Amino acid sequence: MSAGPRRPSRSRSAVLYLSAALLASTAAGWYTFGGEEPSGPGAASGAGSAAVPSWSADLPWPAEGQSSAEVEGLGSLGTRGEQTPVPIASITKVMTAYVILTHHPLSADEQGTEVTADRQAADESYSLSESTAPLVADRHYTQRQLLELMMLPSGNNVARLLARWDAGSQEEFAKKMNKAASELGMDRTIYTGASGIEASTKSTAADQLKLARAVMKNEAFRQIVATPSVTAPGTGAQIRNSNRLLGQDGVIGLKTGSSTPAGGNLMWAATENIEGTPRLILGVVLHQQAGTNPTRAMTAAFDASHTLITAIRDALPQTLAAP
């Protein structure tokens, strides 16, 4: 995708619908419909399901998979697609980072505790069957360095190293992940590993949006996912952020994830300045072109997310300026 694609124009009716909804949410805080997860076009219906807000149909939601979005301080923009748990691939690493930062707090200007890379993590650097980051056996890495090497290139070996460091094993770490998910109200999520390579790790867009909201409160995490590139300690290798939307149209993060069973997935964060005040926009797009080539599926997730992000950002200034 080329840098700086043009934003799609929004119809007057879309802006008016969005204006009414967001103004209502401003008065109510994080606004939900019927006390349930907010729903939108394509959401499952049935007893106890939330009412579908009329304006949500005017947002360019992805035509497949599932998605969810919200604007900080204004409220939910609804969901699209049936919120059935699906594999989420490396989106899993957001929870890995959340658990690590919960148990080992890191301030914005800290490097954190030193962690020694074991032989397993170093040997896994050379895997041709999964995404990895270069690690040198017996070398000391700071906590921040490892979080960067996990989040930017989506290093599975780094995620597993952090899990062993924190909990002794992936299995014990997964228990911490599931406990954290439960505490965040992510009741349609199950984690079975720290990296996301396991197709048995499943979640929904609505659940992952709850995690995005929580983890973006951490300043160190926000700095890490907004970093375009880093140099891998000990090897000099330049590591670029896998999120190719970063730096475009207000995008400041968050995490990519792709595999054949999961398809293309993107948890994203963007901002829009309204009268000098940045508004944080969060969203999750899951299960794009699942079952196809992961590279193709990830491109679909980028394209769908970019379309949704630009439409929301285009609507916000007029929405908030409405009487």
Side-chain angles (χ1 to χ4, degrees):
M1 182 178 299
S2 61
R6 294 180 60 188
R7 295 186 185 180
S9 61
R10 303 294 298 136
S11 67
R12 178 176 174 81
S13 61
V15 172
L16 290 176
Y17 275 133
L18 188 56
S19 297
L22 291 181
L23 288 172
S25 70
T26 301
W30 284 106
Y31 188 63
T32 56
F33 301 89
E36 299 285 330
E37 284 300 321
S39 59
S45 61
S49 62
V52 177
S54 59
W55 56 265
S56 66
D58 292 297
L59 287 174
W61 297 101
E64 63 178 308
Q66 53 182 274
S67 48
S68 187
E70 64 187 28
V71 179
E72 184 180 38
L74 296 178
S76 171
L77 300 183
T79 63
R80 171 79 181 225
E82 186 174 357
Q83 299 296 299
T84 299
V86 293
I88 60 172
S90 287
I91 299 293
T92 299
K93 295 182 177 76
V94 179
M95 179 58 86
T96 299
Y98 179 76
V99 172
I100 290 294
L101 288 168
T102 297
H103 293 279
H104 309 275
L106 191 66
S107 68
D109 57 352
E110 283 184 326
Q111 284 293 316
T113 305
E114 286 195 343
V115 181
T116 303
D118 57 23
R119 173 56 60 183
Q120 178 180 342
D123 288 347
E124 289 172 350
S125 299
Y126 302 100
S127 174
L128 299 178
S129 61
E130 59 179 329
S131 58
T132 64
L135 292 176
V136 178
D138 299 324
R139 182 182 178 88
H140 300 300
Y141 295 83
T142 67
Q143 182 183 335
R144 181 182 287 267
Q145 287 171 336
L146 289 178
L147 287 171
E148 291 171 343
L149 292 174
M150 177 179 73
M151 297 299 292
L152 271 65
S154 205
N156 287 352
N157 58 326
V158 183
R160 292 188 288 263
L161 172 62
L162 284 169
R164 292 193 296 273
W165 169 65
D166 175 80
S169 69
Q170 266 210 102
E171 292 75 18
E172 289 302 311
F173 189 78
K175 293 178 182 178
K176 290 188 174 185
M177 297 171 77
N178 287 313
K179 183 176 184 292
S182 177
E183 291 170 347
L184 291 174
M186 301 166 62
D187 56 5
R188 300 177 192 176
T189 297
I190 180 70
Y191 290 102
T192 59
S195 70
I197 195 172
E198 304 88 357
S200 52
T201 288
K202 297 182 177 182
S203 188
T204 67
D207 268 10
Q208 288 300 304
L209 193 59
K210 295 174 182 176
L211 173 58
R213 188 190 309 163
V215 75
M216 284 298 284
K217 295 176 182 177
N218 186 289
E219 188 173 354
F221 180 85
R222 292 198 305 270
Q223 290 177 346
I224 289 168
V225 297
T227 302
S229 65
V230 295
T231 300
T235 69
Q238 290 296 306
I239 306 295
R240 293 189 60 81
N241 197 314
S242 62
N243 182 2
R244 74 185 196 197
L245 297 188
L246 188 67
Q248 299 181 40
D249 296 295
V251 175
I252 59 172
L254 228 159
K255 186 69 188 77
T256 61
S258 62
S259 69
T260 298
N265 307 270
L266 185 64
M267 178 188 287
W268 48 262
T271 60
E272 174 70 8
N273 285 326
I274 308 296
E275 297 182 349
T277 300
R279 295 276 184 169
L280 180 65
I281 311 166
L282 298 173
V284 179
V285 171
L286 299 181
H287 221 50
Q288 302 299 294
Q289 298 191 18
T292 68
N293 177 279
T295 301
R296 173 182 167 186
M298 194 64 240
T299 296
F302 281 132
D303 290 345
S305 297
H306 179 260
T307 299
L308 187 56
I309 291 166
T310 53
I312 295 169
R313 293 183 77 233
D314 278 348
L316 278 178
Q318 298 176 68
T319 295
L320 296 175

